[in-house]
Amino acid sequence: FVNAIAYDEFRNIVALKIIDNKGRTRIEQGEIHDPLFQAKAEANAARSITDARHVWRKYPEYQSDPGFVVAVKEKTEQYKQANQ
């Protein structure tokens, strides 16, 4: 699945990372240097509520960024529903 994707100002894909279900990188093109982008990618790659909470604690500087908040919240809710 897509682990990370970055766009330029024209919405062209400039970086892409695809990993398999075991977390191994299968395709990686371009470079992603934006720390906020990296934080969101980690949130989207979380495989459990514990992982999502770890990402949240790891990046306190982005806890006011709406995109980061949504990414972590969606993963947390996804695993809460799966565990019910």
Side-chain angles (χ1 to χ4, degrees):
F1 66 92
V2 175
N3 177 261
I5 189 166
Y7 300 94
D8 65 12
E9 64 274 10
F10 302 108
R11 301 293 293 159
N12 296 313
I13 296 173
V14 295
L16 176 68
K17 182 176 182 180
I18 298 176
I19 62 174
D20 65 15
N21 61 347
K22 295 181 180 169
R24 295 180 301 217
T25 300
R26 293 299 182 181
I27 298 172
E28 188 168 15
Q29 294 184 331
E31 293 186 30
I32 300 167
H33 296 289
D34 180 18
L36 175 57
F37 180 83
Q38 225 22 64
K40 289 178 189 177
E42 284 184 41
N44 288 327
R47 295 178 161 242
S48 67
I49 291 174
T50 303
D51 288 351
R53 289 178 180 158
H54 173 74
V55 172
W56 179 259
R57 288 190 302 274
K58 183 177 176 181
Y59 295 102
E61 65 272 26
Y62 302 128
Q63 291 177 1
S64 61
D65 179 81
F68 180 69
V69 171
V70 167
V72 174
K73 186 175 183 177
E74 284 179 352
K75 276 297 179 174
T76 303
E77 290 301 316
Q78 174 187 346
Y79 290 113
K80 278 184 183 177
Q81 290 175 3
N83 290 329
Q84 290 181 351

